[in-house]
Amino acid sequence: MTDTESVKTGSDRLLGHRAASHSKTDLRRIGAHPDHWYPVALSRSVRTKQAFATTFAGERIALYRGESGTVHALEDRCAHRQVPLSMGVVEGEALRCCYHAWAYRGDGRISQIPYLSKGDGRPPRGVRGYPVREAYGLVFVFPGASERAADTPVPALPAFGSGRYKTMTYARTVRCHYSFMHENLLDMNHQFLHRGVVGKLRPELLGHRADARSVEARYLFTHTGGKRNRGAGILAGEGLTGRDSSDVMTIRTEYPYQTLDLVPEGADRPAFRLWAVYVPEDAEQRVCRTYGLLMIEKPRVPGALQLAWPLIRRFTERVFAEDRMAVEAEQRAWDEQGEDRNHEVFPLILDVREVLRGNGVPLGSTVGCAAAVGGGTASPTCDRHGEPGAPAE
């Protein structure tokens, strides 16, 4: 479908969405699908020979970095008395529980129970080990079916390693369902919210396209007046002197990630590129951890970007704070009403809701997963999360 066709058929799709809305599951009751790579920590937060506690959708995960520098991820409970392994001690490539000193390998197998004799009985299983990868200064885990991890790529971000760009990293908790974050970034009609930092911006939707797994929108942004934050101008490639321009912004949700590229008028590449993902923390998925990599083009003048870095950071933090205020208010309304009562009219947002609904999993559902180990309960999102670790040795 072309951009023009997408705009022309928007009203027809809207009628169809409205007609079917009453029969669809509320999007805020749809969980993030676990069969993807999700960042759960900054790499610098997981220090050598230390454990680190994190979560994915209510699943407690213990990360630890062994002496070799490799990061491992285990279910955050000892199979013995359920004490969190994130409270434990790292020895070599193993993690030892702080309570009775049971030791676990990086795959969740029990490597030692120090007070048992050779002939004593041992538990048949350890705890779950998660596939782990480090990339872009983040620790990714694969919370879904581990056999699918090898064939599922970590997102490719060529600008991250490019000498043309310098990266600013964000990790912030937002008290809302992750879908509100996707909608917020895609729907650029909310610029009135940011009038105090960007002045008057006129976004014009040039077109959008959608398929089963993605939605992409292109906007033309024109600054029409008002005071514009200096950091905003620098980020848009206007330099320290500042100059108004019309910029083309391309935003894409490709489940479960989101990207944004801004190309200034007359430029042949983006002034900045944003990659973001919203990782649910709690079982009800009403709180998410936002991870963002903002890759900013380096200007020709050496050191200019470093000089402007604090201005850009303050600007982006302020915009994020305003967005967080809005999406958390949306979540509070949902909590108070017990359902989604908003009346969406923008075809682009109706499309992204279909993508998120179609690729997620209903909260509380089971999708053919194994039961949890050691008598515990399975994940409220997906019973597969409780697949057992390997037998003890």
Side-chain angles (χ1 to χ4, degrees):
M1 178 181 290
T2 66
D3 286 352
T4 303
E5 289 171 340
S6 176
V7 172
K8 284 182 178 179
T9 59
S11 59
D12 295 333
R13 278 201 316 277
L14 177 56
L15 292 174
H17 281 297
R18 284 173 173 168
S21 62
H22 293 295
S23 62
K24 292 178 179 177
T25 303
D26 188 332
L27 176 58
R28 320 311 170 185
R29 301 184 191 277
I30 297 292
H33 202 294
D35 284 345
H36 297 275
W37 290 98
Y38 291 93
V40 291
L42 302 176
S43 287
R44 63 175 179 264
S45 298
V46 188
R47 299 177 181 177
T48 303
K49 298 188 67 176
Q50 290 187 13
F52 181 88
T54 187
T55 60
F56 175 85
E59 295 181 35
R60 293 189 293 113
I61 300 171
L63 303 176
Y64 72 96
R65 192 181 297 275
E67 289 184 355
S68 69
T70 301
V71 176
H72 307 281
L74 302 179
E75 183 181 1
D76 195 7
R77 63 170 191 90
C78 180
H80 179 213
R81 298 283 187 89
Q82 316 300 305
V83 172
L85 290 175
S86 57
M87 298 168 59
V89 177
V90 179
E91 296 181 354
E93 298 303 308
L95 180 60
R96 191 177 293 278
C97 178
C98 70
Y99 195 12
H100 289 80
W102 287 30
Y104 296 83
R105 296 190 177 99
D107 60 3
R109 297 158 68 101
I110 299 171
S111 61
Q112 186 190 35
I113 301 175
Y115 51 85
L116 290 188
S117 302
K118 186 174 181 180
D120 292 338
R122 294 172 178 266
R125 302 189 183 279
V127 297
R128 183 184 178 187
Y130 294 83
V132 187
R133 292 186 187 175
E134 281 195 89
Y136 318 123
L138 303 172
V139 178
F140 289 78
V141 300
F142 195 87
S146 57
E147 65 271 16
R148 298 176 186 169
D151 297 326
T152 305
V154 171
L157 304 177
F160 183 89
S162 168
R164 292 183 179 274
Y165 291 86
K166 178 178 173 64
T167 301
M168 187 177 288
T169 302
Y170 295 88
R172 300 287 185 273
T173 296
V174 185
R175 303 192 69 79
C176 75
H177 189 263
Y178 62 88
S179 61
F180 288 115
M181 299 297 291
H182 280 271
E183 295 177 14
N184 171 266
L185 190 61
L186 265 173
D187 189 352
M188 283 291 157
N189 295 307
H190 75 274
Q191 293 310 306
F192 185 74
L193 176 68
H194 305 307
R195 60 195 180 277
V197 285
V198 299
K200 295 180 180 179
L201 281 182
R202 182 169 63 86
E204 177 188 350
L205 182 64
L206 300 177
H208 81 280
R209 44 182 94 226
D211 57 34
R213 294 192 60 82
S214 67
V215 176
E216 182 177 286
R218 293 175 63 247
Y219 292 91
L220 178 66
F221 270 86
T222 305
H223 184 229
T224 61
K227 186 177 180 180
R228 191 174 190 179
N229 181 280
R230 180 65 61 85
I234 297 170
L235 189 58
E238 298 172 3
L240 289 168
T241 58
R243 58 177 176 79
D244 285 344
S245 64
S246 295
D247 309 318
V248 174
M249 183 179 288
T250 302
I251 311 167
R252 181 178 180 85
T253 287
E254 185 162 4
Y255 193 90
Y257 313 115
Q258 204 162 34
T259 59
L260 183 155
D261 290 353
L262 183 136
V263 180
E265 184 178 14
D268 58 359
R269 59 177 175 266
F272 70 85
R273 314 190 76 171
L274 172 69
W275 176 87
V277 62
Y278 317 111
V279 183
E281 292 190 338
D282 58 319
E284 294 77 20
Q285 303 200 20
R286 297 290 171 262
V287 178
C288 66
R289 184 74 168 169
T290 294
Y291 291 90
L293 300 174
L294 181 61
M295 294 156 278
I296 306 167
E297 186 182 27
K298 296 177 181 178
R300 295 180 180 178
V301 180
L305 184 56
Q306 191 66 31
L307 180 65
W309 204 249
L311 295 173
I312 297 173
R313 171 70 76 171
R314 283 196 294 270
F315 163 70
T316 54
E317 292 283 7
R318 184 170 173 184
V319 169
F320 184 84
E322 291 175 346
D323 284 333
R324 177 162 54 187
M325 174 192 67
V327 295
E328 289 184 347
E330 288 186 277
Q331 181 64 61
R332 287 195 300 272
W334 190 96
D335 292 338
E336 292 165 0
Q337 296 163 1
E339 61 181 356
D340 213 342
R341 296 185 186 176
N342 64 57
H343 299 284
E344 186 52 64
V345 296
F346 195 24
L348 172 63
I349 298 306
L350 295 174
D351 281 347
V352 78
R353 287 181 178 180
E354 288 305 297
V355 168
L356 298 176
R357 185 182 285 112
N359 288 280
V361 290
L363 289 170
S365 70
T366 59
V367 285
C369 311
V373 186
T377 58
S379 162
T381 300
C382 172
D383 283 354
R384 174 168 57 240
H385 299 182
E387 64 186 28
E393 290 185 347

